[in-house]
Amino acid sequence: MTVTGPCNAPDVVDVVALGESMVTFLPTRPGRLADVPSFDRGIGGAESNVACVLAAAGHSARWVSRVGTDGFGDHLTEAIGGYGVDVSAVRRDPERPTGVYFRTAGDRATDAHEVAYYRAGSAASAMAVENVDMEAVRAGRVLHLSGITAALSDECFGLLWQLTAPRPDRPLISFDVNFRPNLWHDADGPRVLLDLARRADIVFVGTDEARVAWGITGGPEKIRELLPEPGVLVVKEGARGATAFSQAQPAGGRAAKAAEGEPTVNAHPSRPAADSAHPSSPPAAGSRAAGAARVGAGGNPQAPGRATHPRPTATPVTFVPALNVTPVAAVGAGDAFAAGFLSGTLRDLPVRDRLRHGHLMAAATLTAPGDLAAPPARAHADRLAALDDEAWGTLRLGPGWTTQQAEEEVRTP
């Protein structure tokens, strides 16, 4: 999708993704980290994964972050840029290193899976309003963020708090909750994530995350009760599928555009006004807990916490079952799903097709090793997304499906 416009805004892109990416070391064979003799190098980062998938799918994408001046920083920027992502706004930090992590070959869902992070004090953990190119961050139709960034430091939280502040020229805010308990060193995490999600326009969250973070059970409808504010809420239910809630009669602004299926934002947003004109600073100096003060202790919502946004009078619900996939690796599937849904949003597709493109992008990652996989060609994905419900339900996808024709991959029982 090509964005054209006035010559004074050549850097406007479809999606900007802000967050930390790390060099990933993948074991060459199964086993405990203590037993694996060698590793292959890769890249990993929730936000950059989304940017890479969108760029590979034909959208213009920018990744904004900070890396060290070390060789790992070189590798990250070169590898992500190799997917067609604009990395010109990535800044180098001579005093802090690029983050790295090691993981075992097993599925993250098993008890045997191990991950060793070396990201404390990383260049990305020092991201703040003062050292990030805010103009580059805001020069997108969509700004994609995740809860991982908020967990890195108070400075990172302050940056997200400012970026999600209400302002008339704000990009559409996409927020993936991405609750990682091990990243939070105190009890603030669930409250912070809920508060940030309430400020976003499109929110992605899994039923498993909602249960662990907020104690919410009972299905997607209960999560929507907790989060009525976003114009679009996408609840992922694992192998069952995904449900999208969209506001039928929102108050207006970016949420209305998202819910009504518009391309969501101005193609060429004007440069932001002075930040001092907007309530964008955290309620207390760098305090993540204060930023989420509207939520009760332990992450359980209090009634006053939902009073700042009107509840929609009706909430259309769209459910799309997940595909039948022969998985190779589960890592990165959630990021790919978000990228597929955002791709459909940028293309003004119906909500059902946005969810289907999310499932298709996730299937591409599930059927390939590593965090990233080449998505299907757009025409190929569009053909599959247009299948009737019966054909969609009998679709079977295995390794290599993205390079096959639709007729070859549809196999009924």
Side-chain angles (χ1 to χ4, degrees):
M1 186 174 189
T2 302
V3 174
T4 60
C7 60
N8 63 346
D11 57 344
V12 172
V13 295
D14 287 338
V15 175
V16 175
L18 178 143
E20 180 174 35
S21 293
M22 294 176 289
V23 173
T24 309
F25 288 95
L26 309 173
T28 55
R29 72 182 191 193
R32 302 184 309 153
L33 288 178
D35 301 328
V36 175
S38 59
F39 297 80
D40 291 327
R41 185 182 64 178
I43 60 174
E47 300 85 3
S48 62
N49 285 349
V50 171
C52 288
V53 173
L54 283 165
H59 297 280
S60 55
R62 173 181 297 125
W63 173 54
V64 178
S65 189
R66 290 174 65 83
V67 298
T69 54
D70 46 35
F72 289 148
D74 293 339
H75 175 64
L76 274 178
T77 54
E78 292 169 5
I80 294 172
Y83 281 87
V85 176
D86 174 12
V87 296
S88 61
V90 176
R91 294 188 172 175
R92 311 299 293 265
D93 189 329
E95 299 179 355
R96 298 177 179 85
T98 304
V100 302
Y101 77 97
F102 297 77
R103 67 175 174 86
T104 51
D107 190 332
R108 284 183 176 176
T110 68
D111 293 336
H113 182 76
E114 298 175 75
V115 180
Y117 289 104
Y118 299 90
R119 71 196 309 177
S122 69
S125 70
M127 284 190 296
V129 174
E130 297 76 20
N131 60 27
V132 167
D133 187 343
M134 298 294 280
E135 188 173 86
V137 173
R138 288 176 169 138
R141 300 176 62 196
V142 175
L143 172 58
H144 182 70
L145 308 169
S146 97
I148 293 173
T149 304
L152 299 181
S153 67
D154 284 344
E155 292 78 11
C156 285
F157 164 70
L159 175 61
L160 263 61
W161 189 262
Q162 177 142 324
L163 290 172
T164 57
R167 51 188 296 148
D169 55 357
R170 188 181 85 169
L172 186 87
I173 300 295
S174 166
F175 183 72
D176 193 334
V177 171
N178 263 332
F179 180 49
R180 301 288 187 269
N182 292 339
L183 290 180
W184 295 92
H185 303 298
D186 48 42
D188 294 341
R191 295 179 291 175
V192 169
L193 297 177
L194 183 58
D195 209 47
L196 287 169
R198 286 172 168 167
R199 294 158 69 96
D201 301 305
I202 299 176
V203 172
F204 300 93
V205 64
T207 52
D208 54 345
E209 292 177 299
R211 181 182 65 254
V212 175
W214 304 318
I216 300 299
T217 58
E221 290 76 14
K222 293 297 183 182
I223 299 174
R224 184 55 164 174
E225 290 179 9
L226 178 67
L227 279 168
E229 299 90 354
V232 175
L233 172 67
V234 180
V235 179
K236 297 174 291 182
E237 303 176 73
R240 180 174 182 269
T243 300
F245 299 87
S246 54
Q247 294 183 4
Q249 296 177 1
R254 300 295 185 260
K257 292 177 182 293
E260 292 169 1
E262 296 183 19
T264 68
V265 293
N266 297 329
H268 313 288
S270 59
R271 297 306 181 196
D275 290 333
S276 59
H278 303 277
S280 51
S281 298
S287 170
R288 288 176 286 182
R294 293 190 286 104
V295 186
N300 295 320
Q302 297 174 336
R306 293 197 291 267
T308 57
H309 297 274
R311 182 184 296 273
T313 57
T315 302
V317 181
T318 305
F319 172 77
V320 171
L323 291 162
N324 293 290
V325 176
T326 302
V328 173
V331 179
D335 304 327
F337 179 92
F341 189 90
L342 291 178
S343 176
T345 301
L346 287 161
R347 297 173 58 203
D348 195 18
L349 299 182
V351 173
R352 186 207 70 167
D353 290 359
R354 299 180 195 187
L355 288 169
R356 285 190 170 189
H357 277 276
H359 286 312
L360 289 165
M361 293 295 192
T365 298
L366 286 168
T367 54
D371 289 21
L372 289 165
R378 179 174 293 184
H380 188 182
D382 284 345
R383 285 196 299 271
L384 297 181
L387 293 173
D388 60 36
D389 290 346
E390 182 179 359
W392 177 265
T394 58
L395 195 60
R396 301 289 187 273
L397 302 178
W401 74 269
T402 58
T403 60
Q404 300 171 1
Q405 294 299 313
E407 293 77 13
E408 298 173 358
E409 68 199 34
V410 177
R411 295 187 287 275
T412 56

